[in-house]
Amino acid sequence: MEALIPVINKLQDVFNTVGADVIQLPQIVVVGTQSSGKSSVLESLVGRDVLPRGTGIVTRRPLIFQLVHVDTEDRRKTSEENEFKKNGRFYRGIDGEEWGKFLHTKNKIYTNFEEIRQEIEAETERISGINKGISEEPIHLKVFSPNVVNLTLVDLPGITKVPVGDQPKDIEIQIRELIVKYISNPNSIILAVTAANTDMATSEALKVAREVDPDGRRTLAVVTKLDLMDAGTDAMDILMGRVIPVKLGIIGVVNRSQLDINQKKSVADAIRDEYAFLQKKYPSLANRSGTKYLARTLNRLLMHHIRDCLPELKTRINVLAAQYQSLLNSYGEPVEDQSATLLQLITKFAAEYCHTIEGTAKYIETTELCGGARICYIFHETFGRTLESVDPLGGLTTIDVLTAIRNATGPRPALFVPEVSFELLVKRQVKRLEEPSLRCVELVHEEMQRIIQHCSNYSTQELLRFPKLHDAIVEVVTSLLRKRLPVTNDMVHNLVAIELAYINTKHPDFADACGLMNHNIEEQRRNRMRDLPSAVPRDKAAAGGAQSASSGDQTDSGGMGNWRGMLKRGEDGMAVDRTVPQSPLLSSPQKGHAVNLLDVPVPVSRKLSAREQRDCEVIERLIKSYFLIVRKNIQDSVPKAVMHFLVNHVKDCLQSELVGQLYKSVLLDDLLTESEDMAQRRNEAADMLKALQKASQVIAEIRETHLW
């Protein structure tokens, strides 16, 4: 099981090469307030003075330590592998028992730990600046030594409350967010550092640890500065867990004082003095306290934690590998045969465009209607409901109908309702169907335009590699749609014009409606005769009704030239309409005033006579009946015309149009120019996929060696 930690270190190296943090690897995150002794604990684990020292906030970037235990043979092998050539001579990269390597300095080897400290300071200032600001970008340091156990540690900035000097005003929030980011990793172990000379109940490290690990399954407490407690007090209750219990335990350590550091006291000497202090002050806990026990405990916890995390880690790596493989496939391979690639992309786009219309596309929208489904919705829902909402008699008043009847008769009084008035009025109503029909064409055209973007986004992602080709395809398809739009509009206009050109009163549906209407009129006449007083002879009433229905104000049964009877009926008619306001122009001119006969009286509202009411009703019923017939024809023929002249034509001609416009040798280099960042993104995806595949192999090796 001891070999599990080097495996994690190897995985960390794999992902460091691609500079990605896509996998949350098991690691130990050190959390504590400023001056709580975090750096001293870490240096005790490393065994060397390696961290920057100073007042205030010193750690301003996450520092990821990978401690790798090496023995003599491993050291010799590593030395041979790190030979490098300079100025024609070979140099060994390692000359010592302990050394370190930074990720940002590539293969440079540091055997002087003072140089490591200086490099940490320089790299911190390079990213975070010379003020006291912090940065989330980590520094990766790998330390090889026979004096360390295999561990992966993360040192974070100390928790602070008040900004000092040039620190940002929100420095407390920045540090807290950075700490939470690392300890929220479910694969991490939290090392909460608290000084013994402070109240354990006010420990900020334990407080923030409990926020992300309320059960305490990932938290180990470390109590520092046991030698600095007030005289007469000790940390026995704290170390025994009587003050605040911690599931993974509480370990006490003794740090080097600032005087020890100034006097260059070695870490090894400090560990010996720590052991002597623990034997003297805490003999019952000496074997469960101190730096060496802390290192062994961390090593054991990390190994068990790695063992528990590996199954989920393996699953995560496999999922990411599949995702990056798909991403790399979408970027495509570098172009070798330009002609074949161009023809393939054009053909694929045309096929996807047609499939989207037919509803057989690979990528089907689930949030909204698209393609052929939306066109169907336009035909049968939008267009159909719009036509059904058109009132057959909309915009047509009774006065309009009466005026049309009078104008159609000319100077002679009409014996019958003129047919010309019906045609005039019904054409006016049919004309109102043209606007919604043209709007239907416009909506379908817009959807055909939207399909282009749909295919670009979902169906043919390869086009994103070649922005110029994408723009050219969009321009060709848009131009084709633009050319078909006036042709389709003309056809729809002609469909309405055809209906206006000939009013077919012999249409079977219209003839049935007329017959039904005549039957209704006859039924109404019979009902009126049935309601007449018994004093009126039926034969005279029938004769009068028939004459009235057919000839209007003709002479009565006396027949020939009964002018007195006609005048009498005229006077009766005037008597009936006497209550209707009359225009001044119609009244007798006063004496001494001239009359302009060319003045046309303005129609005014008045009560219609029985015959006028009947004639208007007849015309309105005929108009409504014929309008419904025409509307039904238009509702059926317009979608057919749009499909033939626009949709199907574009489907049939799209491939040939694209090939004819774009498949030219002079355009190959320009159209197949990749976007600037596409090659970089392809390389990054390829590197990440390679790293994930390598990580998967590392985990497979664990299974083969029965470490897992």
Side-chain angles (χ1 to χ4, degrees):
M1 188 181 292
E2 179 69 25
L4 285 177
I5 297 178
V7 167
I8 293 299
N9 290 339
K10 189 182 296 185
L11 290 177
Q12 185 70 59
D13 293 340
V14 168
F15 293 115
N16 286 343
T17 59
V18 293
D21 190 20
V22 295
I23 296 291
Q24 294 178 317
L25 296 174
Q27 56 193 7
I28 300 170
V29 183
V30 185
V31 180
T33 58
Q34 283 187 24
S35 304
S36 62
K38 291 191 302 87
S39 298
S40 296
V41 171
L42 288 172
E43 286 184 336
S44 298
L45 294 173
V46 177
R48 300 293 294 265
D49 293 333
V50 69
L51 296 175
R53 293 284 182 171
T55 58
I57 181 172
V58 178
T59 305
R60 296 188 286 126
R61 290 177 60 184
L63 179 59
I64 299 179
F65 274 105
Q66 287 180 256
L67 305 183
V68 181
H69 176 81
V70 291
D71 54 24
T72 305
E73 301 234 348
D74 291 333
R75 188 163 63 252
R76 186 181 305 114
K77 178 181 177 183
T78 308
S79 176
E80 293 174 357
E81 290 175 348
N82 281 274
E83 281 188 338
F84 63 92
K85 187 175 182 180
K86 183 177 181 181
N87 298 329
R89 298 178 61 186
F90 284 94
Y91 293 85
R92 288 196 183 275
I94 302 173
D95 186 15
E97 290 187 350
E98 299 175 300
W99 68 94
K101 291 172 61 177
F102 286 99
L103 177 64
H104 63 274
T105 59
K106 305 302 179 184
N107 294 323
K108 184 177 180 180
I109 304 298
Y110 295 83
T111 56
N112 186 342
F113 281 80
E114 182 63 30
E115 292 182 2
I116 292 179
R117 183 196 311 212
Q118 294 173 358
E119 180 60 31
I120 292 174
E121 293 177 347
E123 181 65 12
T124 298
E125 292 183 357
R126 186 179 70 85
I127 300 297
S128 303
I130 59 175
N131 61 5
K132 296 298 183 179
I134 66 171
S135 171
E136 293 186 0
E137 186 175 343
I139 299 174
H140 293 267
L141 173 61
K142 203 169 186 179
V143 176
F144 299 84
S145 172
N147 304 317
V148 299
V149 294
N150 293 311
L151 288 175
T152 300
L153 301 161
V154 181
D155 186 22
L156 296 174
I159 301 172
T160 184
K161 292 293 184 182
V162 181
V164 178
D166 296 333
Q167 287 182 349
K169 293 182 179 180
D170 62 340
I171 187 67
E172 177 187 2
I173 298 176
Q174 291 185 25
I175 293 176
R176 187 176 183 84
E177 290 177 350
L178 180 60
I179 291 174
V180 170
K181 174 184 175 182
Y182 276 86
I183 65 177
S184 296
N185 173 11
N187 296 333
S188 67
I189 294 176
I190 305 170
L191 190 65
V193 179
T194 304
N197 56 358
T198 61
D199 189 351
M200 191 75 166
T202 62
S203 171
E204 289 289 335
L206 288 175
K207 178 183 177 183
V208 71
R210 283 191 172 182
E211 292 179 4
V212 298
D213 182 32
D215 297 332
R217 296 178 180 177
R218 299 189 289 115
T219 303
L220 174 68
V222 175
V223 179
T224 62
K225 303 182 182 181
L226 292 176
D227 55 333
L228 299 182
M229 296 189 69
D230 295 337
T233 62
D234 59 34
M236 185 62 70
D237 289 340
I238 295 176
L239 296 177
M240 295 295 291
R242 296 170 186 156
V243 178
I244 296 179
V246 180
K247 283 189 177 181
L248 295 185
I250 302 175
I251 300 176
V253 297
V254 177
N255 300 349
R256 290 182 299 169
S257 66
Q258 189 61 44
L259 179 61
D260 294 337
I261 295 172
N262 295 338
Q263 293 178 351
K264 306 296 184 182
K265 184 178 182 178
S266 68
V267 175
D269 292 339
I271 291 177
R272 281 195 297 269
D273 292 344
E274 176 193 48
Y275 180 74
F277 174 83
L278 292 173
Q279 288 289 351
K280 179 181 178 180
K281 293 287 292 184
Y282 303 96
S284 62
L285 296 177
N287 293 332
R288 289 184 290 158
S289 301
T291 301
K292 288 188 176 181
Y293 180 76
L294 175 63
R296 292 195 302 270
T297 301
L298 290 176
N299 179 266
R300 175 178 53 82
L301 290 175
L302 187 58
M303 282 191 299
H304 286 283
H305 197 62
I306 290 171
R307 184 190 61 187
D308 296 337
C309 295
L310 276 179
E312 183 181 350
L313 193 62
K314 177 179 181 295
T315 302
R316 174 67 175 160
I317 289 174
N318 292 338
V319 170
L320 283 175
Q323 291 176 353
Y324 274 93
Q325 182 66 61
S326 176
L327 182 63
L328 188 61
N329 293 340
S330 68
Y331 293 153
E333 298 293 333
V335 178
E336 296 179 357
D337 188 343
Q338 290 185 329
S339 298
T341 301
L342 179 60
L343 185 59
Q344 179 184 4
L345 290 174
I346 289 176
T347 303
K348 187 171 183 179
F349 178 87
E352 290 294 337
Y353 191 92
C354 296
H355 291 162
T356 303
I357 295 176
E358 296 167 358
T360 57
K362 181 178 179 181
Y363 299 93
I364 298 178
E365 279 281 0
T366 57
T367 57
E368 62 177 354
L369 293 178
C370 178
R374 191 172 184 86
I375 293 174
C376 179
Y377 182 86
I378 292 172
F379 285 158
H380 302 291
E381 298 293 332
T382 305
F383 177 60
R385 290 182 179 178
T386 302
L387 288 187
E388 291 174 359
S389 66
V390 178
D391 184 8
L393 301 175
L396 197 63
T397 65
T398 305
I399 295 298
D400 294 337
V401 176
L402 186 59
T403 303
I405 294 174
R406 288 182 173 181
N407 288 336
T409 59
R412 297 172 301 278
L415 297 179
F416 307 100
V417 177
E419 188 174 341
V420 176
S421 62
F422 163 72
E423 289 198 10
L424 177 67
L425 294 173
V426 81
K427 286 181 179 180
R428 171 179 164 180
Q429 298 306 102
V430 169
K431 184 70 174 176
R432 297 169 59 215
L433 298 175
E434 184 175 17
E435 182 179 352
S437 300
L438 294 176
R439 177 58 180 161
C440 176
V441 178
E442 183 181 351
L443 290 175
V444 174
H445 178 266
E446 291 176 358
E447 179 57 27
M448 299 282 283
Q449 195 74 34
R450 287 179 67 245
I451 296 176
I452 303 176
Q453 191 63 34
H454 171 82
C455 293
S456 301
N457 291 342
Y458 298 99
S459 304
T460 54
Q461 293 187 5
E462 294 91 339
L463 286 179
L464 300 179
R465 293 177 57 192
F466 312 107
K468 292 186 177 180
L469 175 60
H470 174 266
D471 294 341
I473 288 178
V474 171
E475 178 61 31
V476 171
V477 181
T478 302
S479 177
L480 178 60
L481 290 172
R482 194 184 304 119
K483 287 190 297 185
R484 297 306 303 174
L485 183 60
V487 177
T488 310
N489 281 335
D490 289 344
M491 183 59 200
V492 171
H493 176 78
N494 287 335
L495 289 176
V496 179
I498 289 170
E499 297 291 347
L500 296 174
Y502 181 66
I503 306 301
N504 182 18
T505 56
K506 292 295 186 179
H507 192 283
D509 295 340
F510 186 69
D512 293 343
C514 291
L516 180 61
M517 186 171 57
N518 291 334
H519 175 75
N520 292 338
I521 293 174
E522 181 65 21
E523 186 68 26
Q524 292 175 4
R525 188 186 67 82
R526 292 173 181 171
N527 292 338
R528 285 197 300 271
M529 292 179 62
R530 194 179 300 113
D531 295 337
L532 287 175
S534 57
V536 180
R538 291 280 177 180
D539 54 347
K540 290 187 177 181
Q547 290 169 359
S548 175
S550 60
S551 58
D553 293 332
Q554 295 181 1
T555 58
D556 57 10
S557 58
M560 301 283 303
N562 193 344
W563 291 99
R564 189 167 300 181
M566 292 175 62
L567 291 175
K568 183 68 171 64
R569 282 192 297 275
E571 292 174 359
D572 292 342
M574 291 295 291
V576 171
D577 294 336
R578 197 166 291 147
T579 59
V580 180
Q582 299 293 325
S583 171
L585 296 176
L586 297 179
S587 60
S588 300
Q590 299 179 359
K591 187 175 183 181
H593 289 76
V595 178
N596 185 0
L597 297 178
L598 296 180
D599 286 342
V600 179
V602 179
V604 294
S605 59
R606 62 181 179 81
K607 181 179 179 182
L608 300 180
S609 65
R611 176 177 176 178
E612 289 174 339
Q613 184 71 34
R614 186 185 67 245
D615 291 347
C616 289
E617 289 180 359
V618 169
I619 293 295
E620 288 176 354
R621 292 181 181 180
L622 292 175
I623 291 173
K624 184 175 182 179
S625 176
Y626 196 82
F627 180 88
L628 295 178
I629 294 172
V630 174
R631 186 174 71 181
K632 184 178 179 181
N633 295 341
I634 294 295
Q635 191 171 353
D636 179 65
S637 58
V638 167
K640 293 179 178 178
V642 173
M643 286 298 297
H644 177 73
F645 287 92
L646 181 61
V647 179
N648 291 343
H649 187 278
V650 170
K651 283 172 52 182
D652 296 340
C653 300
L654 181 59
Q655 169 81 7
S656 59
E657 189 76 14
L658 288 172
V659 172
Q661 295 287 337
L662 303 179
Y663 191 65
K664 300 176 182 179
S665 58
V666 295
L667 299 177
L668 289 177
D669 292 335
D670 185 49
L671 293 178
L672 295 181
T673 301
E674 286 189 321
S675 59
E676 296 179 358
D677 61 335
M678 182 57 67
Q680 178 183 354
R681 287 157 60 188
R682 185 191 300 112
N683 293 335
E684 291 176 353
D687 292 341
M688 178 56 67
L689 180 61
K690 189 180 300 182
L692 290 167
Q693 291 172 344
K694 190 173 181 180
S696 182
Q697 293 175 359
V698 171
I699 294 180
E701 292 174 2
I702 300 176
R703 296 181 65 92
E704 292 176 1
T705 54
H706 305 288
L707 294 175
W708 179 0

